[in-house]
Amino acid sequence: DAEITQSPRHKITETGRQVTLACHQTWNHNNMFWYRQDLGHGLRLIHYSYGVHDTNKGEVSDGYSVSRSNTEDLPLTLESAASSQTSVYFCASQQGGVTDTQYFGPGTRLTVL
Amino acid sequence: AQSVAQPEDQVNVAEGNPLTVKCTYSVSGNPYLFWYVQYPNRGLQFLLKYITGDNLVKGSYGFEAEFNKSQTSFHLKKPSALVSDSALYFCAVRDKSAGNTGKLIFGQGTTLQVKP
């Protein structure tokens, strides 16, 4: 079955380190998204992509970057991890139509010490 | 500005009773609306969506939602709640900014607690 996976599921890192979270989908969806979920803030969009080599900033993009070299993957990089980036990160994908449904991965819990 | 509001942080209901989780939206033109559920330590799961047509939308796990254009609402409902329905529920509307085909605007979420 087609699916969307994230790795690692849990990560502990230190302040200042670079961290990359992986997201892989097998639906051949054009659109992919990264969100963070924090208590009291719901889901906030970090970056998104509408296709290969396309990337766009969301509402909380500072300190994060993404690249889209193929359809299946959208890795999220924290350039220099900060304690404020401790959160649960969700990747999502969607076919390209405006009425299409977004499907979410299982999440990555990141702790920055 | 486009927005989604879930006015209740938590909804408590007894098992077997009907449940309603409220959602109101503000968006120009016709909205595309979605409901998701999140169980503890899991990702969001899609429940249902309203695009056009019948105002009553049926979805997964016996849930349905009623679209009301005049009240700009899209409340999630279930005739008989189960303890296993206890979870965090998110309402979302598709951002209708020019050129957008994907971005969603999420509400803050409502925790549903179903007591036996």
Side-chain angles (χ1 to χ4, degrees):
Chain A
D1 286 343
E3 60 178 356
I4 180 167
T5 57
Q6 293 183 236
S7 62
R9 295 294 313 279
H10 301 271
K11 174 78 175 178
I12 300 174
T13 191
E14 295 176 343
T15 302
R17 289 190 182 269
Q18 184 181 81
V19 176
T20 297
L21 308 183
C23 175
H24 179 79
Q25 53 98 2
T26 58
W27 282 304
N28 203 35
H29 284 166
N30 291 326
N31 298 355
M32 295 184 74
F33 307 83
W34 274 104
Y35 297 89
R36 60 178 289 175
Q37 185 178 28
D38 304 287
L39 203 60
H41 291 280
L43 283 163
R44 293 184 289 177
L45 183 63
I46 305 171
H47 282 287
Y48 60 102
S49 168
Y50 286 162
V52 177
H53 303 311
D54 176 74
T55 61
N56 305 279
K57 294 182 179 180
E59 61 179 306
V60 291
S61 60
D62 287 350
Y64 303 94
S65 64
V66 293
S67 63
R68 186 94 179 265
S69 59
N70 58 51
T71 301
E72 296 80 15
D73 299 290
L74 187 69
L76 177 71
T77 297
L78 286 67
E79 308 292 347
S80 177
S83 57
S84 60
Q85 294 177 309
T86 293
S87 186
V88 180
Y89 292 85
F90 289 102
C91 179
S93 74
Q94 176 206 333
Q95 193 48 279
V98 70
T99 61
D100 291 327
T101 300
Q102 237 172 79
Y103 295 97
F104 285 76
T108 294
R109 183 174 296 274
L110 176 68
T111 302
V112 182
L113 301 175
Chain B
Q2 302 178 92
S3 65
V4 173
Q6 294 180 241
E8 301 156 317
D9 289 337
Q10 183 158 328
V11 170
N12 297 310
V13 65
E15 188 174 31
N17 283 1
L19 69 87
T20 299
V21 183
K22 296 180 180 178
C23 172
T24 59
Y25 66 89
S26 174
V27 67
S28 59
N30 295 320
Y32 302 136
L33 294 155
F34 302 79
W35 274 103
Y36 289 84
V37 60
Q38 185 181 28
Y39 298 101
N41 301 312
R42 303 285 294 275
L44 277 69
Q45 295 180 33
F46 169 70
L47 279 178
L48 51 79
K49 66 182 176 183
Y50 172 82
I51 303 300
T52 187
D54 195 346
N55 289 342
L56 187 64
V57 180
K58 294 189 182 300
S60 305
Y61 312 122
F63 283 93
E64 57 190 26
E66 185 170 10
F67 171 66
N68 187 316
K69 189 172 184 176
S70 63
Q71 297 185 6
T72 62
S73 67
F74 188 55
H75 299 334
L76 182 69
K77 300 182 179 186
K78 188 173 183 182
S80 178
L82 299 172
V83 172
S84 57
D85 292 330
S86 298
L88 181 59
Y89 290 81
F90 288 98
C91 180
V93 66
R94 181 128 285 145
D95 184 330
K96 300 198 79 177
S97 302
N100 176 55
T101 61
K103 283 194 296 179
L104 292 173
I105 301 168
F106 283 89
Q108 290 296 305
T110 298
T111 298
L112 173 66
Q113 188 74 37
V114 181
K115 298 190 186 300

